[in-house]
Amino acid sequence: MNITIKDIAREAGVSYSTVSKALNDSPLVKPDTKIKIVKLAKEMGYEPNFAAQRLVSKQSKTIGLIWPSIERVALSTLITNINEKITENSYSMILSINSIKASLEMFRRFQVDGVIVFEENNTLTKSELHHLTSIPTVSYGVPGNDVFPVIDVNWQQALYDAVYYLYNLGHRKITYIGDFSPTDPRQMEKYDGFKLAFKELNLPMNDHSVINTGGLDWYDGYVATTRLLQSSTRPSAIIGSSYDISSGIIRALREAKILIPKEVSVLGYDNIPQMGTLETPLTSVGVPVEKIASTIVQSLMKLIVDKESIPSVQTLTPELTERISCAQTIGK
Amino acid sequence: MNITIKDIAREAGVSYSTVSKALNDSPLVKPDTKIKIVKLAKEMGYEPNFAAQRLVSKQSKTIGLIWPSIERVALSTLITNINEKITENSYSMILSINSIKASLEMFRRFQVDGVIVFEENNTLTKSELHHLTSIPTVSYGVPGNDVFPVIDVNWQQALYDAVYYLYNLGHRKITYIGDFSPTDPRQMEKYDGFKLAFKELNLPMNDHSVINTGGLDWYDGYVATTRLLQSSTRPSAIIGSSYDISSGIIRALREAKILIPKEVSVLGYDNIPQMGTLETPLTSVGVPVEKIASTIVQSLMKLIVDKESIPSVQTLTPELTERISCAQTIGK
DNA sequence: TTGAAAGCGGTACCAG
DNA sequence: CTGGTACCGCTTTCAA
């Protein structure tokens, strides 16, 4: 049997409502008494009963994150970041790897104060919506769902900016290496941004402008680059569509003894700190994870306070972080 | 305001204790009434208040999993499996990616019925132990901690068995490619198993018997293999120390146009279903994840019922699963 | 400042 | 079988 405020009250010779107030740092209790009680509580090893607290206060100070597909690592950096932000807000985060529906049910039971959903192409059914009505939820991912607010990233602009940046450094032969499976709208958006910039800048699109890796792994970038290098024309700059692909690109370039950025500039999409710790610290575009994380968490916090407080879609603007992988070029 | 059993009681014209019984399928209530109440509850959209239930019943029917390092993917398959097993036992699983200590505190608040800890080289402090005394916990990982029961894997035997298996197929030139950072006791154990078998079988250890990749990634296996192939002597069989490294090995072999298993046999450590879906379905040794998962969950379930019911260390025996990557060889 | 008491939403025991 | 009722541990009026 755990020790309760009643035990403390008895020991301290006060009523248990006073103990409750003291422990909650209420101004309604004399400082002396407060100090005495708090001290005593600690001595006695008091631990508040959360269930009881929740029963009356209807708040759990925890938010639930639904992540149905842990096997996709890409998001773990973001999740780690979100966890930190949540902790800073003195909330706790619990994670569920079940289906959205099952997770939602569980979170409801736990009375979490808010939910973050990582969609992963999941379309929600009516019955899932039912639950959502009551509990503040935001989602990260593809917009177009009108159920709850979405935090989105302007992928198109990221690639658009990347091209302009390289162009301004004098690059004209730019190759974009990425995965363009039409199933992933984010990849398509990036591609669109690339094309748009090319068009505006009057750069010619040819066989070497874009390489479809057909995969998102390190190795896919590696192979694509190796093949690219065997062809007659070598680009002066390469853009990698993800962290993994970009590291494959670097690897291939290094093996071919091509200097970065002296001979070829490389720019990567994604804005995670790891970009800076690659063999060659990579100049990159993308919304910094840290920013995505704080936007998600802040939006949710607002939503918890006021249901109508945030817009249904927030699109974050990518930033370009210069490191050492891109340089001016003289050649056209 | 949510609807409660009292609302239902009023509506049904019975006392609310009867409603409680009916909803819990108690035999103490007449079937007719029970049916009526249950139906009514559903109509009214009744959802039990978990906090209230827990306050009195002291059970949450959920178990918490502490996974401080989501960035290491290796474990996600196992975690997915564990989650399934837990669900089968009609419990729920919540995950925390905080430090063991912070996670434990949170789980205590939620009154989870049990905890699973993935250690990751973490040594626990006294203050953490304090919490552990009360709540049933098992851990997966390195033994040698006397705080709570550990589910362990006999890594040594896995490699030992692997060598014998290949030996019996006629292989004499066997290379083990893996990461032998002395910081990871599991890797060292595997290495020991390999050496032991070599010794028993009187196989000569030389420069090509073991290759230290210095990393656990795909690419590390790839590079190591490529280098190995450039040397004069080619092994007749290669053992990869993990799923990722093994796939790197396969990749390198394929690129070098070496046929598996005709020219070189490959055997991988790890026993996850993905082994079978590699470019070349890999024969592998290891404890099947599914088995690790069920052992962990079952042990915890027992522990919840009876604190003293399970041994402090359970070492699981690896199994060898034959697929198509190993073949008989004639050469010595 | 402090204490008494009324719930929060259930469960479980006891009496009828 | 059904209803009454005493808690579970804590927060929060409301009086004193």
Side-chain angles (χ1 to χ4, degrees):
Chain A
M1 184 56 89
N2 265 312
I3 119 148
T4 76
I5 46 173
K6 285 183 188 170
D7 302 322
I8 300 177
R10 199 183 319 112
E11 205 73 19
V14 297
S15 80
Y16 71 85
S17 53
T18 304
V19 175
S20 171
K21 285 169 202 154
L23 260 20
N24 288 303
D25 202 25
S26 156
L28 297 175
V29 58
K30 192 162 60 174
D32 292 356
T33 347
K34 195 184 290 183
I35 293 173
K36 190 178 80 182
I37 292 177
V38 170
K39 185 161 156 286
L40 192 58
K42 188 168 293 174
E43 280 174 18
M44 298 177 69
Y46 168 72
E47 300 255 13
N49 181 316
F50 204 48
Q53 285 180 326
R54 292 237 299 286
L55 182 56
V56 38
S57 72
K58 273 120 172 69
Q59 266 214 35
S60 64
K61 278 287 180 185
T62 108
I63 89 103
L65 168 15
I66 303 179
W67 187 22
S69 50
I70 46 171
E71 326 241 344
R72 295 252 344 104
V73 211
L75 296 173
S76 45
T77 306
L78 178 55
I79 290 182
T80 306
N81 258 273
I82 290 178
N83 187 51
E84 279 162 20
K85 301 281 181 243
I86 287 177
T87 308
E88 283 167 19
N89 280 273
S90 50
Y91 273 68
S92 300
M93 179 181 102
I94 60 179
L95 232 145
S96 168
I97 60 171
N98 287 299
S99 70
I100 300 195
K101 187 174 177 188
S103 305
L104 242 21
E105 256 153 32
M106 187 169 78
F107 287 159
R108 266 187 62 84
R109 288 201 330 230
F110 277 116
Q111 292 177 219
V112 300
D113 297 337
V115 172
I116 298 172
V117 180
F118 276 52
E119 289 200 67
E120 296 287 343
N121 311 323
N122 243 303
T123 323
L124 299 171
T125 67
K126 283 266 173 60
S127 82
E128 283 156 357
L129 298 187
H130 168 67
H131 293 286
L132 288 171
T133 50
S134 53
I135 159 164
T137 301
V138 300
S139 117
Y140 171 68
V142 192
N145 111 41
D146 45 357
V147 189
F148 37 67
V150 171
I151 314 301
D152 197 15
V153 163
N154 195 337
W155 285 284
Q156 176 168 340
Q157 198 195 326
L159 265 289
Y160 179 89
D161 288 352
V163 174
Y164 265 83
Y165 174 77
L166 291 169
Y167 185 90
N168 288 335
L169 284 176
H171 294 279
R172 295 297 178 267
K173 286 191 198 156
I174 304 172
T175 296
Y176 179 33
I177 298 183
D179 178 33
F180 311 111
S181 348
T183 51
D184 189 344
R186 310 168 208 203
Q187 305 309 331
M188 295 316 287
E189 268 202 50
K190 290 191 219 164
Y191 186 33
D192 289 343
F194 181 82
K195 280 189 297 192
L196 182 60
F198 251 54
K199 196 170 168 193
E200 284 187 15
L201 293 169
N202 266 319
L203 293 175
M205 274 285 216
N206 58 42
D207 280 0
H208 298 302
S209 308
V210 174
I211 298 184
N212 189 350
T213 59
L216 279 166
D217 278 316
W218 189 342
Y219 191 76
D220 299 310
Y222 175 82
V223 169
T225 309
T226 308
R227 216 162 31 214
L228 174 66
L229 295 175
Q230 283 158 2
S231 70
S232 50
T233 50
R234 180 192 294 178
S236 73
I238 301 178
I239 301 175
S241 77
S242 74
Y243 172 77
D244 286 325
I245 285 182
S246 302
S247 43
I249 293 172
I250 293 181
R251 198 76 95 165
L253 251 22
R254 291 204 147 207
E255 274 180 23
K257 303 248 187 304
I258 296 173
L259 296 174
I260 307 171
K262 195 158 188 279
E263 299 174 79
V264 173
S265 289
V266 181
L267 192 156
Y269 174 83
D270 241 343
N271 215 329
I272 51 180
Q274 288 95 307
M275 283 292 188
T277 57
L278 283 171
E279 297 163 275
T280 303
L282 214 62
T283 293
S284 54
V285 259
V287 180
V289 255
E290 192 274 338
K291 189 173 174 187
I292 302 180
S294 64
T295 306
I296 291 179
V297 174
Q298 276 171 29
S299 300
L300 187 56
M301 291 300 162
K302 277 189 205 153
L303 203 61
I304 289 174
V305 176
D306 173 9
K307 284 263 177 201
E308 313 295 333
S309 58
I310 68 163
S312 65
V313 177
Q314 285 180 83
T315 305
L316 303 178
T317 306
E319 294 168 19
L320 199 144
T321 307
E322 289 188 304
R323 279 183 273 256
I324 65 167
S325 65
C326 293
Q328 198 95 30
T329 186
I330 354 96
K332 289 196 161 195
Chain B
M1 183 56 86
N2 264 314
I3 120 145
T4 76
I5 46 172
K6 286 182 187 171
D7 302 321
I8 300 177
R10 198 183 319 112
E11 204 73 18
V14 296
S15 78
Y16 73 86
S17 55
T18 303
V19 175
S20 172
K21 284 171 204 153
L23 260 19
N24 288 301
D25 201 24
S26 155
L28 297 176
V29 60
K30 194 163 59 175
D32 292 357
T33 344
K34 194 185 292 182
I35 293 172
K36 190 177 81 183
I37 294 177
V38 170
K39 185 161 157 284
L40 192 58
K42 188 168 295 174
E43 279 173 20
M44 299 176 68
Y46 168 72
E47 300 255 14
N49 180 315
F50 205 45
Q53 286 179 325
R54 293 237 299 286
L55 181 56
V56 39
S57 72
K58 274 120 173 70
Q59 265 213 37
S60 64
K61 277 287 182 185
T62 107
I63 88 102
L65 170 16
I66 303 179
W67 187 24
S69 49
I70 45 170
E71 326 243 344
R72 295 254 341 106
V73 210
L75 296 172
S76 44
T77 307
L78 178 55
I79 290 181
T80 307
N81 258 273
I82 289 177
N83 187 51
E84 280 164 17
K85 300 281 181 243
I86 287 176
T87 309
E88 284 167 18
N89 280 271
S90 50
Y91 272 69
S92 300
M93 180 181 101
I94 61 180
L95 233 145
S96 169
I97 61 172
N98 287 299
S99 71
I100 299 195
K101 187 173 176 187
S103 305
L104 241 21
E105 255 153 34
M106 186 170 79
F107 286 158
R108 265 187 62 84
R109 288 200 330 232
F110 278 116
Q111 293 177 220
V112 300
D113 297 337
V115 172
I116 298 172
V117 181
F118 276 52
E119 290 200 64
E120 294 288 342
N121 309 323
N122 243 304
T123 324
L124 299 172
T125 69
K126 281 268 172 60
S127 82
E128 285 158 354
L129 297 188
H130 168 68
H131 293 286
L132 289 170
T133 50
S134 53
I135 159 162
T137 302
V138 300
S139 113
Y140 171 69
V142 191
N145 112 38
D146 44 359
V147 189
F148 37 66
V150 171
I151 313 300
D152 196 13
V153 163
N154 196 336
W155 285 284
Q156 176 167 341
Q157 198 194 327
L159 266 289
Y160 179 88
D161 289 351
V163 174
Y164 264 83
Y165 173 77
L166 292 169
Y167 185 89
N168 289 334
L169 284 176
H171 295 279
R172 295 299 179 269
K173 287 191 197 157
I174 303 173
T175 295
Y176 180 33
I177 297 182
D179 178 33
F180 310 111
S181 348
T183 51
D184 189 344
R186 310 168 208 205
Q187 305 309 330
M188 295 317 287
E189 268 202 50
K190 289 191 220 165
Y191 185 33
D192 290 343
F194 182 82
K195 282 190 297 193
L196 182 59
F198 251 55
K199 197 170 165 194
E200 284 187 15
L201 293 170
N202 266 316
L203 293 175
M205 274 286 216
N206 59 42
D207 280 1
H208 298 302
S209 308
V210 174
I211 298 183
N212 190 350
T213 58
L216 279 166
D217 279 316
W218 188 344
Y219 192 77
D220 300 311
Y222 175 83
V223 169
T225 309
T226 308
R227 218 161 29 216
L228 174 66
L229 293 176
Q230 282 158 2
S231 71
S232 51
T233 49
R234 178 192 294 177
S236 73
I238 301 177
I239 301 175
S241 78
S242 74
Y243 172 77
D244 286 325
I245 285 183
S246 302
S247 42
I249 294 173
I250 294 180
R251 198 76 94 168
L253 252 20
R254 290 202 150 212
E255 273 182 23
K257 303 246 188 302
I258 295 173
L259 296 174
I260 307 171
K262 196 158 187 284
E263 299 173 79
V264 172
S265 289
V266 180
L267 191 154
Y269 174 83
D270 243 341
N271 215 327
I272 51 181
Q274 288 94 307
M275 282 294 188
T277 56
L278 284 171
E279 297 162 275
T280 304
L282 214 61
T283 293
S284 55
V285 258
V287 180
V289 255
E290 192 274 338
K291 188 173 174 185
I292 302 180
S294 64
T295 305
I296 291 178
V297 175
Q298 276 171 30
S299 300
L300 187 56
M301 291 300 159
K302 277 190 205 154
L303 202 61
I304 289 173
V305 176
D306 173 9
K307 283 263 175 201
E308 313 294 334
S309 57
I310 68 162
S312 66
V313 176
Q314 287 179 79
T315 305
L316 303 179
T317 306
E319 293 167 18
L320 199 145
T321 306
E322 289 188 306
R323 280 183 272 257
I324 65 166
S325 66
C326 293
Q328 197 96 30
T329 186
I330 354 97
K332 355 162 115 189

